[in-house]
């Protein structure tokens, strides 16, 4: 599940879904983001766990070959499953704007999207625009306390997605 605390934006870094303190914490959004993922950019945080859980796999988007094999993912909500399509992945300094969620206008949002895509470690055919809603997955980069690895995707809230059956 993706959680959100009403008042403490770092609560789920160290608290589990049952309210107990300690690792692994939870995957979560800040209360600045709407719970329905309809902001221009919804930032979803998760630990980069050594055991491969949470957001450990998104570090692999540093390689083009991993992106080529995994260009999409699924956002599952109680109402629908949504296909998300990755367009960018990069190391960001915590002082950068990767975690912006509000933009003054479409032009500012478009510039942010262009900047985000230009930083990517992998090449994607997805060209996001101001009509898109973005999901930014954020985790530790392994490159120091002041950096994070972010992977960004577009999603279509009007389209249901059923994954292939194997």
């Amino acid at each position: 599940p993706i959680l959100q605390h009403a008042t403490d934006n770092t609560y789920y870094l160290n608290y589990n879904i049952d309210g107990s303190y300690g690792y692994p914490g939870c995957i979560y959004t800040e209360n600045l983001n709407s719970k329905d993922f309809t902001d221009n950019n919804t930032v979803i945080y998760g630990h980069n766990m050594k055991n491969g859980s949470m957001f450990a796999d998104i570090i692999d988007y540093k390689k083009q070959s991993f992106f080529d094999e995994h260009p999409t993912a699924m956002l599952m909500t109680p109402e629908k499953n949504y296909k998300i399509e990755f367009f960018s992945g990069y190391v960001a300094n915590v002082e950068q704007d990767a975690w912006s969620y509000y933009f003054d206008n479409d032009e500012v949002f478009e510039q942010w999207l262009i900047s985000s895509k230009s930083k990517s470690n992998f090449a994607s055919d997805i060209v996001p625009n101001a009509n898109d809603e973005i999901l930014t997955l954020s985790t530790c980069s392994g490159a120091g306390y002041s950096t994070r690895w972010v992977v960004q995707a577009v999603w279509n809230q009007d389209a249901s997605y059923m994954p292939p059956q194997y």
Side-chain angles (χ1 to χ4, degrees):
I2 300 172
L3 303 176
Q4 185 181 89
H5 194 275
T7 59
D8 184 352
N9 284 327
T10 61
Y11 180 84
Y12 287 113
L13 273 174
N14 299 306
Y15 284 88
N16 299 301
I17 195 166
D18 64 2
S20 63
Y21 181 80
Y23 270 169
C26 295
I27 294 175
Y28 68 96
T29 63
E30 292 184 346
N31 61 17
L32 302 172
N33 276 131
S34 62
K35 291 182 181 181
D36 63 1
F37 307 103
T38 56
D39 294 315
N40 289 125
N41 182 32
T42 299
V43 182
I44 305 172
Y45 300 91
H47 287 297
N48 177 2
M49 301 295 289
K50 290 181 182 178
N51 68 4
S53 65
M54 296 184 91
F55 280 180
D57 288 344
I58 70 168
I59 294 295
D60 293 333
Y61 282 97
K62 290 181 178 180
K63 297 179 232 145
Q64 182 70 42
S65 59
F66 187 82
F67 167 78
D68 290 342
E69 292 177 19
H70 307 90
T72 64
M74 188 170 35
L75 172 65
M76 298 167 57
T77 71
E79 297 80 31
K80 287 183 185 177
N81 296 336
Y82 301 96
K83 181 178 182 179
I84 65 170
E85 299 175 289
F86 296 110
F87 69 88
S88 185
Y90 58 95
V91 173
N93 184 291
V94 295
E95 302 298 321
Q96 290 178 317
D97 63 356
W99 301 273
S100 297
Y101 69 97
Y102 174 79
F103 302 89
D104 290 335
N105 55 53
D106 285 352
E107 184 177 319
V108 173
F109 185 39
E110 289 268 359
Q111 290 304 312
W112 180 84
L113 291 167
I114 291 167
S115 175
S116 293
K117 186 162 173 70
S118 73
K119 299 172 191 172
S120 185
N121 282 41
F122 59 81
S124 166
D125 291 336
I126 302 298
V127 179
N129 64 62
N131 295 320
D132 289 322
E133 287 152 342
I134 306 303
L135 297 177
T136 297
L137 311 181
S138 176
T139 195
C140 296
S141 67
Y145 182 74
S146 64
T147 62
R148 302 290 182 272
W149 176 252
V150 296
V151 178
Q152 296 171 312
V154 298
W155 70 288
N156 183 341
Q157 66 175 314
D158 296 322
S160 294
Y161 176 66
M162 292 304 298
Q165 299 297 315
Y166 297 101

